[in-house]
C-alpha cells in the first residue's frame, strides 16, 4: 500500500471532513471502498484493512495537513457515553459503534480555541455561555474534594446569566468571546447573558455536533473530539504555574494528563476501561498530591448510567 500522497488520501480526508470522528471499525469499510474505487481490478475487502494501514494513511495526511494547522489526533474513550450512542445523538460520531474501547480519531484545528472553532456557529453571547460551562467543568466542579470535570444539566442551564460582576472573569471570557468581554462588551465592560431556552439549544447543539457528551444521569462532559480539539487551550487556560520543584507540584493543575500517553484525563475511575494501559495522572484511584493537599477522585456521578 502506497504511502505517497495521492487521490486515495484526498478521498480519505473527505471522509474525516464528513464525519465527526472515526475509529478503526468505521474507517475500514471507507478505506476499503476508496482503494477498490482507485483500482477496480484489485478490489480490497474490508477485512484486509489493518490498523497499520489506517495509521499509515493518517501519518501521510498529517504531513500534508501540518502547514494548515490541521491534524488528525486520537484518544481513547473515557466515559460510558463514549463507548455507545447513549447520551450522544451525533449519528456520525464514532461513539455510536465504539463499544470495545477503540481509539477515536478526529480531524482538528491544531491551534484552535473555542472562539476559533465555534464562532461561525454561535454568537459572542453564546460563546461566553460555553466558556462559563467549561469553567464549571474544570474549575467550579473540579475541586480538591471531587475531581469532577463535568457539569449537571440544570447547573449548566443556570449559567445562562452572565455574572453580575464581570471583572473577575472578563479576561478569561474575552478569550472565547472574540475580545468583546464575553460578547457583551459595552460601556463599563458589561457581559450580556442569554435566555434559558437559548442555553438549552446551545447545549443540545454542542452534543449534536460532537463537542459535548451527556450521560444518562444528566452530566455534560467534553467529548473525545472536544478534548482533542481543545487540548492545548484547556491546559493553558486552567492550569496555573504547574512545574516541578523539589519533587513537589507547584501551582494548580486542574487539567491532568496521563504520565505515559500525555492525554488529558477527565475521568479518574477508569481502570475498567483499559485506557491504553496507562494509568490516570499520578495513578488512577490514588490520592493525589497538590499544593492544596490531597485530592480524592470521584467521577462516578459524571459517568453514571443511572437515570435521575
Amino acid at each position: 500500500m502506497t504511502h505517497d500522497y495521492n487521490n486515495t488520501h484526498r478521498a480519505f480526508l473527505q471522509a474525516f471532513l464528513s464525519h465527526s470522528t472515526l475509529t478503526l471499525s468505521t474507517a475500514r469499510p471507507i478505506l476499503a471502498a476508496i482503494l477498490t474505487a482507485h483500482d477496480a481490478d484489485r478490489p480490497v475487502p474490508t477485512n484486509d484493512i489493518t490498523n497499520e494501514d489506517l495509521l499509515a494513511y493518517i501519518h501521510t495526511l498529517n504531513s500534508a495537513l501540518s502547514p494548515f494547522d490541521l491534524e488528525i489526533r486520537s484518544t481513547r474513550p473515557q466515559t460510558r457515553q463514549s463507548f455507545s450512542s447513549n447520551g450522544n445523538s451525533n449519528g456520525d460520531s464514532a461513539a455510536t459503534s465504539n463499544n470495545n474501547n477503540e481509539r477515536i480519531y478526529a480531524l482538528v484545528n491544531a491551534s484552535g480555541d473555542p472562539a476559533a472553532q465555534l464562532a461561525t456557529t454561535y454568537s459572542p453571547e453564546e460563546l461566553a455561555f460555553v466558556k462559563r460551562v467549561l469553567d464549571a467543568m474544570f474549575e467550579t466542579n473540579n475541586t480538591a474534594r471531587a475531581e469532577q470535570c463535568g457539569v449537571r444539566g440544570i447547573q449548566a442551564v443556570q449559567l445562562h446569566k452572565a455574572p453580575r460582576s464581570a471583572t473577575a472573569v472578563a479576561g478569561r471570557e474575552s478569550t472565547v468571546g472574540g475580545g468583546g468581554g464575553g460578547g457583551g462588551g459595552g460601556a463599563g465592560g458589561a457581559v450580556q447573558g442569554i435566555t434559558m431556552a437559548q442555553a438549552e439549544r446551545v447545549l443540545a447543539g454542542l452534543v449534536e455536533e460532537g463537542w459535548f457528551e451527556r450521560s444518562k444521569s444528566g452530566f455534560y462532559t467534553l467529548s473525545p473530539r472536544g478534548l482533542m480539539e481543545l487540548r492545548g487551550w484547556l491546559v493553558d487556560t486552567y492550569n496555573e504555574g504547574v512545574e516541578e520543584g523539589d519533587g513537589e507540584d507547584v501551582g494548580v493543575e486542574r487539567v491532568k494528563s496521563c504520565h505515559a500517553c500525555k492525554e488529558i484525563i477527565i475521568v479518574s475511575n477508569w481502570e475498567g476501561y483499559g485506557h491504553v494501559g496507562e494509568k490516570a495522572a499520578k495513578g488512577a484511584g490514588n490520592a493525589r498530591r497538590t499544593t492544596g493537599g490531597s485530592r480524592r477522585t470521584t467521577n462516578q456521578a459524571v459517568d453514571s448510567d443511572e437515570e435521575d
Side-chain angles (χ1 to χ4, degrees):
M1 186 174 293
T2 180
H3 299 311
D4 296 328
Y5 192 84
N6 57 33
N7 286 335
T8 63
H9 295 89
R10 295 183 181 93
F12 195 46
L13 178 59
Q14 287 296 321
F16 270 104
L17 292 172
S18 61
H19 293 72
S20 175
T21 55
L22 290 174
T23 65
L24 176 61
S25 295
T26 55
R28 288 173 72 188
I30 296 172
L31 196 50
I34 291 173
L35 292 173
T36 299
H38 182 68
D39 188 352
D41 295 332
R42 298 178 60 185
V44 178
T46 298
N47 290 337
D48 284 0
I49 302 298
T50 66
N51 188 59
E52 288 71 23
D53 295 331
L54 174 62
L55 294 179
Y57 264 76
I58 290 175
H59 176 75
T60 302
L61 284 174
N62 277 338
S63 297
L65 293 170
S66 178
F68 304 100
D69 285 332
L70 296 173
E71 181 184 1
I72 297 173
R73 292 176 178 171
S74 68
T75 189
R76 294 278 187 179
Q78 297 184 38
T79 60
R80 287 185 178 90
Q81 55 267 29
S82 294
F83 287 86
S84 67
S85 59
N86 292 331
N88 191 332
S89 58
N90 184 355
D92 285 337
S93 174
T96 57
S97 61
N98 194 30
N99 295 314
N100 57 352
N101 196 25
E102 284 188 296
R103 183 163 286 277
I104 298 172
Y105 299 88
L107 177 64
V108 303
N109 186 328
S111 61
D113 58 31
Q117 306 305 317
L118 303 174
T120 58
T121 307
Y122 299 97
S123 69
E125 292 80 11
E126 290 170 336
L127 286 173
F129 164 70
V130 173
K131 179 55 169 58
R132 291 194 292 273
V133 174
L134 291 174
D135 286 345
M137 289 181 182
F138 290 95
E139 285 187 333
T140 308
N141 295 343
N142 187 19
T143 65
R145 185 173 181 81
E147 292 177 327
Q148 181 172 285
C149 298
V151 57
R152 192 176 290 276
I154 186 63
Q155 181 189 1
V157 172
Q158 289 172 345
L159 296 171
H160 72 99
K161 290 184 178 180
R164 291 185 177 182
S165 175
T167 304
V169 296
R172 298 273 289 279
E173 291 272 0
S174 63
T175 304
V176 176
V191 179
Q192 297 178 1
I194 60 177
T195 66
M196 294 185 69
Q198 282 179 294
E200 291 173 347
R201 284 197 298 269
V202 170
L203 291 170
L206 292 170
V207 172
E208 180 67 26
E209 296 162 13
W211 288 96
F212 283 5
E213 291 179 332
R214 187 180 187 276
S215 71
K216 286 185 176 181
S217 57
F219 274 89
Y220 288 97
T221 57
L222 275 176
S223 68
R225 177 198 167 189
L227 287 171
M228 286 185 279
E229 192 100 40
L230 303 179
R231 182 173 62 194
W233 180 86
L234 289 170
V235 172
D236 292 342
T237 302
Y238 295 109
N239 286 358
E240 301 173 5
V242 177
E243 60 184 46
E244 295 296 326
D246 299 326
E248 296 290 337
D249 289 340
V250 178
V252 179
E253 186 183 15
R254 297 185 181 91
V255 180
K256 289 183 165 53
S257 300
C258 172
H259 277 198
C261 67
K262 306 305 180 183
E263 293 178 11
I264 288 178
I265 308 301
I266 61 170
V267 174
S268 53
N269 182 27
W270 63 352
E271 285 136 278
Y273 301 148
H275 175 78
V276 4
E278 297 121 2
K279 302 302 182 183
K282 305 184 182 179
N286 296 330
R288 298 177 179 179
R289 186 180 56 198
T290 66
T291 309
S294 63
R295 303 179 71 164
R296 280 194 300 123
T297 58
T298 56
N299 281 74
Q300 295 175 349
V302 174
D303 200 29
S304 174
D305 276 337
E306 297 179 0
E307 300 282 0
D308 285 341

